[in-house]
Amino acid sequence: MRRILFAVAAAGAISALGACTASGPEEVRTPGLADRGLTMTTVKPTRQDLTNKVSLTGKVQLSPTFGLVAPIDGEIRYLDVKASTSTPTKPTKVANIWAGGKATPIEVPAGAVFSGRLVDDRSKVTAGMPVVSAKQAGYGVVADIEGAQAYQISDQLESVQAQIKNGPGPFPCTVLGTLAALPAGTIPEPVTPTPNPSAAPVPQPRVTGQQQQPSEPTGMRLVCVPPAEVKAINGAAATVEVITARAANALVLPVEAVAGSQGKGKVDVVKADQTRETREVTLGLSDGKVIEIKSGLTGDETVAVPGPNLPAAKNNGGEPMPGFSK
C-alpha cells in the first residue's frame, strides 16, 4: 500500500515539474514585429486609371420637381411671378440675392415653371442653399440618393448616363438643379392694391387657366432630362450612373489595406526585418476595389493587408468604440 502511494506522489511531482518546464518564461516580443509563425498578407502599390462612379436607382417621371440654389451669400428678395399659361421658352427671373448693394438674379431655366419659395422672403441665405423649386415641363429621370452616397456626388458631376430598363439607353442625361432634399414650396397670394375710395372702380382682370400649385417636399434625389429623341414612359424603371471624377495613372492600393476615409488614412508599411510602420497617407478617388494614394507613399513600399485599426474613441457612455479599417 505504501509503495502505491509513493508511486502516485512521484508521478504527480513529475507531472507538475513537466508542466512548469513546458510553460517556461514569457517570450519577449519586439514592438511592431509580427507574431512568430503568422502568415502576413502584403501588397505593393500599383498604378492605374481610376474613375469614381456612383450607380443610382430611379424611374421616369412626368413633371418632376427640382431645386435651385443661392449662387452667393446674401439676402434673398423674391419677385412676384405670374402663373404660366404655357411652357416658358425663356428663363424666368424669380428672385435676387442682394450682397454689397449688388443683385445677383436667380432664374428658372426655359422649359420649367416656378413652383415655390423654399425660404422666407428677405432671409439671409448662403451659397448652395436651395431657395426656389421648379417643375420640368415634360419627362425627367428621377433617382433617389441615399445618405451614404450624398457626399460622393455632391461636389461635382463630370457626366451622367441613364438607362431605362428594357428600354432606351444608355444616353446622356442633363442634370437639373441641386441634389439636396427640398422642403415644401410656398406661393403667396398676389398683392392686391388698396382701393382709393374717391377713385373710380377699376375693373379687375379675369383669371384664366389653372391656379399655380406649390411644390411638395422631396427627398434627396437627382433629376435629369433625357434627350428629346428618347422615348420615355412615365413610371418606367431606370438606372443612373454618375461619374464624379477621373484620375489618370493614379497610385492605388486595395481598400482593405487602408484605414480611414474623407481624404485622410493610414497604412502599415512592412519593412525588410518584418516590423511594421504605420504611415499617414492622403486619399483620393476610389472605385470600391482600390483607392488612390495621393501622398505618403512612393510606390516602392510593401503594405500589410488588412490595414491598421484607427485609434479607439470613447462614446458618450465612456466605453471605447472599436476602431475600423477599410
Side-chain angles (χ1 to χ4, degrees), residues 8 26 46 50 53 58 73 75 95 124 133 137 176 180 195 202 204 225 233 246 271-272 276 293 302-303 319:
V8 171
E26 291 188 3
T46 58
L50 199 58
K53 297 180 182 179
D73 297 350
E75 180 183 276
K124 296 293 183 182
S133 62
L176 297 176
V202 178
Q204 297 295 319
V225 178
I233 300 176
R246 303 176 192 267
K271 298 182 179 181
R276 293 193 188 196
I293 307 298
T302 299
V303 179
E319 294 295 329

Side-chain angles (χ1 to χ4, degrees), residues 61 64-66 142-145 178-181 218-223:
Q61 184 175 320
T65 298
F66 61 95
V142 179
D144 295 327
I145 300 174
T178 180
L179 305 181
T218 70
M220 191 177 299
R221 60 186 191 168
L222 179 149
V223 179

Side-chain angles (χ1 to χ4, degrees), residues 4-318:
I4 295 175
L5 293 175
F6 177 78
V8 171
I14 293 171
S15 176
L17 180 61
C20 292
T21 304
S23 61
E26 291 188 3
E27 183 182 354
V28 178
R29 293 185 176 90
T30 303
L33 185 64
D35 293 337
R36 179 175 297 176
L38 175 66
T39 302
M40 187 182 301
T41 303
T42 60
V43 67
K44 282 186 172 292
T46 58
R47 289 193 176 273
Q48 70 176 64
D49 293 342
L50 199 58
T51 301
N52 193 19
K53 297 180 182 179
V54 180
S55 184
L56 305 173
T57 300
K59 63 180 179 180
V60 178
Q61 184 175 320
L62 186 61
S63 302
T65 298
F66 61 95
L68 301 174
V69 301
I72 60 171
D73 297 350
E75 180 183 276
I76 188 167
R77 300 180 188 178
Y78 290 102
L79 306 177
D80 289 329
V81 182
K82 295 181 180 180
S84 299
T85 57
S86 61
T87 302
T89 57
K90 298 187 300 183
T92 304
K93 186 176 178 179
V94 295
N96 286 311
I97 304 295
W98 284 87
K102 182 180 178 181
T104 301
I106 297 177
E107 294 181 331
V108 173
V113 296
F114 170 74
S115 62
R117 303 176 178 184
L118 302 182
V119 297
D120 293 334
D121 189 31
R122 296 182 178 270
S123 295
K124 296 293 183 182
V125 296
T126 57
M129 178 186 295
V131 292
V132 170
S133 62
K135 284 188 178 181
Q136 172 68 13
Y139 288 105
V141 178
V142 179
D144 295 327
I145 300 174
E146 298 178 0
Q149 298 170 318
Y151 288 96
Q152 291 180 269
I153 61 179
S154 61
D155 292 337
Q156 59 180 359
L157 304 177
E158 185 171 298
S159 68
V160 176
Q161 298 273 329
Q163 169 74 57
I164 299 176
K165 187 176 182 180
N166 299 324
F171 50 81
C173 206
T174 304
V175 176
L176 297 176
T178 180
L179 305 181
L182 307 179
T186 59
I187 299 178
E189 294 291 332
V191 177
T192 304
T194 303
N196 185 352
S198 61
V202 178
Q204 297 295 319
R206 183 180 178 183
V207 178
T208 59
Q210 294 183 345
Q211 185 177 0
Q212 194 171 11
Q213 296 296 320
S215 62
E216 297 182 354
T218 70
M220 191 177 299
R221 60 186 191 168
L222 179 149
V223 179
C224 64
V225 178
E229 64 271 16
V230 173
K231 181 179 179 181
I233 300 176
N234 191 39
T239 299
V240 178
E241 184 181 78
V242 179
I243 296 179
T244 61
R246 303 176 192 267
N249 198 32
L251 187 69
V252 301
L253 280 172
V255 293
E256 295 83 4
V258 182
S261 61
Q262 297 295 326
K264 295 182 179 181
K266 293 184 179 182
V267 299
D268 274 348
V269 175
V270 181
K271 298 182 179 181
D273 61 0
Q274 296 302 297
T275 58
R276 293 193 188 196
E277 175 194 353
T278 299
R279 193 175 298 179
E280 294 187 355
V281 292
T282 302
L283 306 178
L285 303 182
S286 175
D287 63 0
K289 297 179 180 179
V290 297
I291 188 166
E292 180 185 10
I293 307 298
K294 300 181 75 172
S295 66
L297 297 178
T298 64
D300 297 326
E301 297 86 354
T302 299
V303 179
V305 181
N309 285 335
L310 294 182
K314 290 186 177 181
N315 58 20
N316 293 334

